[in-house]
Each structure stands twice: as C-alpha cells, then as structure tokens.
Amino acid sequence: STVLLIAMLAACGNGDSSGDGDESASGDDGVKTIKAGIGLNEDHPQYKGLLKFKEIVEKKTDGKIKVETYHSGQLGDDRSMTEALQLGSQEVTIPSTAPLANFVPDFSVFDIPFLFPNTEVADKVLDGQVGQDILKKLEDQNLVGLAYWENGFRDVTNSKHPIKTMDDFKGLKLRTMENDLHLDAFKALGANPTPMAFTELFTAMQQGTVDGQENPYATIYLQKFYEVQKYVSNTHHIYSPFVFLMSKDFYDGLSEDQQKIVKEAAVESGKYERKLNREANDKYLDKLQEEGMKYTEISPEAREEMKKAVQPVIDDYKSEIGEETVDKVYQAIEDAQK
Ligand code: TK8
C-alpha cells in the first residue's frame, strides 16, 4: 500500500494534469504564456510591434502573462498559424486579411483593388464600426480579432521586365496570397497568377518558379527580395491590413482585467506598428533602387486602365464577400472623406 501511495503522489505532483488545455497556456504558478508567431522577419515593423505588445502585456500583468515571440514563419505561414490558434497550440498571430478570408469571407472586402485612397481613410474605416463589425465575425471561428495593424499598399516586383502599363502583366507568373479575389484580379490584368504561402515565396522567386510577387516596399526591402527581383512599380493596387488575432479559447480563459490589458495592448502596439510601417514604406523605395532595382512609375492613365479591367471581378465577388459588408465599407469610405 505504501508503494501505491507513493505512485499516486508522484502522479499528482508532476503537473501534467490532463486539464481542458488551459494548462498548455498557464503553468502551475498561474502564469499564462502567449505563444505569438508572425511571417515577416525580425527587422520588419510587424515584429517591432509584436515586441511592443509583449512589453506592455508583461508590464501591465506584472508578469502574470508572458509573451513568447517568433518571426520569419518559424511557427508556420499565415493560414497554418491561424489554424493553430483555432486548435489551441498557439495563442497569437497577425496575418494579412487576404488569407483570413478563407476563414471569414467578409475580409475579402479589403482585397478589392484600389479600395482605399490613402492610409487616413483606411484607419478610419478599419478602426470604425464597420471594421470592428467584421472583426466580430471571427468569433464563430474560435478566433478573436483584437486590432487592425498595417501591412500597407502593395506594389508589384518581377525579374523579367518593367511594368509600366497593364500590357506588361501579360503572361507574367505572379505569386499571389492564398485568396481567390487576388487570383482572379491578376488574371483579369493578364498575368498568370499562382497562390502561395509567404514562407515559400523567396525560394520560388530564387528558382524562377514565379517571375514576381506583390507586397509593400518595407517587405520587399526588409525580406531582401531585391536579391531575386529586378523591377518594381508603384502599382499600389491594394491596401493590405494585418489583423492581430488571438485564440478565443485562450482569450475567454483570461480574467476581465487581463482581457482589457491584451485588447488595449494590441491596439496601442498597432498604432506604433502603423507609424513605423509608414516611415519604412516612405524610405525603402530609394533603398530598393540603391540595391539595384529598376523603378517604373505607373501613370494615372495606366492605373485607370487597370481599375477598369478588374471591375468585373469586383462585381462578381460582391455576393461571395457579402453585399451588406461591401456596401457598408464603400459607404464608410465615402463618409471618411467628408
Ligand atoms: C506575412 C504575410 C505577408 C503578406 C503576403 O506573414 O503573404 O504576401 O503580405 O505580409 O502576411
């Protein structure tokens, strides 16, 4: 019976209780751990924003919540990390809205080409009621959207030839994010698009599997795409938001105070990230040219031609995204410019 008693005590003492999964996020000392992963590297404003989130949360909870940060796709790509949040093996990730549309179709409204005229309007719409209502829809997917951060206006690069007008897209093998609207929009422009996770992109360009891609200048520069891309144009064809995502199971397991702290930290570090990202996007086009990339300016006429070419795609996707969401976003954009 002594042996049995020792065995029972040993089983209780090793702390690997098969609880309801909260133990994976909180140790025996009540400290909860947030495992946070992103796709971009440690030089990008997105990671600097995540470090700011870590600093705020660990300080305001007196270390009761610890944040472990991972960058460069160490934990996976946008889609697989979002799935990890749903499964409870990771607590935070910050994907672009495009892959998120595979979980909540309404996010594809932000993939409508040439939707936002500038970042001021984007901020007002995203941080306003319409943007917040779209975040709410994540809760049905066991996800909580705490804030919008900024990826930025997307520009096309390639290794073949300058892109000056729509004609230059003809036959170009372009990687797009994993999002049907992006795919069909680039087909309408005459390109030959391939959806691909960001984690595979650099190798695909290096090996010539794709000729080009599209991302904001900060990403093009900080991820060293200039090493495998020759031409860059200011297509500015889409403004991409990031969404600061948290697993809903983890969020629901926090106290009310802790929920308030993580929400406010996501918003505050998001404003910090937007500021850094804008400064980066303003200065890195020059740096890309210093690294040898050839820059081509897209004329207003050429941009108008592209807008006309993608309009049928936008009309086709309106019902898939959700007519109400599309109409509300367009109205919010109009209101934001009054
Ligand atoms: C990084 C991605 C990236 C996005 C893309 O995880 O996939 O091209 O623009 O920023 O979210």
Side-chain angles (χ1 to χ4, degrees):
S1 60
T2 315
V3 171
L4 183 62
L5 184 62
I6 290 168
M8 279 169 67
L9 285 173
C12 297
N14 66 14
D16 68 350
S17 59
S18 53
D20 56 7
D22 268 5
E23 284 68 22
S24 66
S26 66
D28 299 340
D29 49 2
V31 174
K32 294 183 191 297
T33 301
I34 290 177
K35 202 168 164 187
I38 60 169
L40 296 175
N41 66 26
E42 67 277 29
D43 298 324
H44 197 282
Q46 189 189 40
Y47 190 63
K48 295 186 170 47
L50 183 56
L51 291 179
K52 172 68 79 178
F53 172 81
K54 170 186 171 71
E55 178 195 323
I56 297 169
V57 168
E58 290 183 349
K59 188 157 160 255
K60 286 196 172 175
T61 62
D62 296 326
K64 277 289 174 215
I65 297 182
K66 270 174 51 47
V67 182
E68 289 173 2
T69 59
Y70 299 86
H71 54 77
S72 307
Q74 293 163 323
L75 300 183
D77 59 67
D78 284 1
R79 281 182 69 159
S80 59
M81 288 195 281
T82 301
E83 285 156 3
L85 265 56
Q86 292 178 307
L87 298 169
S89 56
Q90 186 178 329
E91 285 71 43
V92 160
T93 192
I94 315 174
S96 296
T97 49
L100 213 42
N102 296 291
F103 299 82
V104 174
D106 302 67
F107 279 103
S108 238
V109 68
F110 303 124
D111 301 312
I112 290 177
F114 309 108
L115 180 77
F116 288 124
N118 54 52
T119 55
E120 290 72 28
V121 171
D123 290 355
K124 281 183 189 165
V125 174
L126 293 168
D127 297 346
Q129 195 56 53
V130 172
Q132 298 307 302
D133 288 351
I134 296 173
L135 289 180
K136 215 89 184 92
K137 295 171 183 264
L138 287 160
E139 294 183 7
D140 297 342
Q141 300 298 322
N142 191 26
L143 298 166
V144 176
L146 293 178
Y148 286 101
W149 286 21
E150 177 176 273
N151 196 347
F153 279 100
R154 306 180 72 89
D155 297 300
V156 180
T157 66
N158 82 92
S159 57
K160 295 290 181 200
H161 54 251
I163 292 179
K164 193 169 178 58
T165 67
M166 199 173 105
D167 250 6
D168 297 324
F169 278 110
K170 238 183 212 59
L172 217 50
K173 289 186 293 180
L174 277 188
R175 173 267 180 177
T176 68
M177 291 187 280
E178 294 159 298
N179 172 293
D180 293 342
L181 204 165
H182 274 247
L183 215 54
D184 289 342
F186 276 101
K187 281 179 189 163
L189 290 172
N192 175 13
T194 309
M196 184 186 292
F198 186 77
T199 43
E200 295 158 34
L201 175 54
F202 191 93
T203 309
M205 294 189 288
Q206 202 168 33
Q207 295 174 349
T209 318
V210 294
D211 301 323
Q213 63 84 47
E214 38 86 58
N215 253 292
Y217 297 139
T219 298
I220 300 167
Y221 180 74
L222 294 168
Q223 302 282 153
K224 296 187 170 30
F225 286 179
Y226 51 81
E227 291 177 352
V228 290
Q229 297 280 273
K230 189 93 189 102
Y231 304 98
V232 58
S233 301
N234 68 328
T235 48
H236 263 41
H237 50 280
I238 281 176
Y239 173 87
S240 255
F242 284 133
V243 174
F244 190 104
L245 279 185
M246 182 172 277
S247 152
K248 188 171 182 302
D249 284 344
F250 178 78
Y251 182 79
D252 290 347
L254 297 177
S255 68
E256 238 174 81
D257 279 356
Q258 290 174 333
Q259 288 179 346
K260 189 167 176 291
I261 287 170
V262 297
K263 166 86 181 160
E264 287 173 357
V267 172
E268 184 183 339
S269 45
K271 292 194 182 330
Y272 171 72
E273 186 270 344
R274 278 172 172 169
K275 180 175 172 297
L276 291 185
N277 202 52
R278 280 158 202 175
E279 288 162 3
N281 279 320
D282 285 346
K283 74 182 177 190
Y284 285 144
L285 177 56
D286 291 344
K287 291 274 192 187
L288 287 172
Q289 295 176 83
E290 283 169 28
E291 293 293 347
M293 288 195 84
K294 296 270 177 289
Y295 170 63
T296 303
E297 178 92 20
I298 300 287
S299 69
E301 298 73 24
R303 190 169 279 109
E304 275 315 304
E305 188 192 17
M306 293 177 196
K307 282 185 183 177
K308 277 205 195 75
V310 298
Q311 192 53 49
V313 175
I314 297 172
D315 299 339
D316 286 350
Y317 271 85
K318 207 171 166 182
S319 55
E320 185 172 324
I321 298 170
E323 307 255 349
E324 191 190 350
T325 295
V326 175
D327 293 343
K328 279 185 175 176
V329 167
Y330 275 115
Q331 186 57 56
I333 289 171
E334 204 181 303
D335 297 347
Q337 298 178 81
K338 281 177 181 150

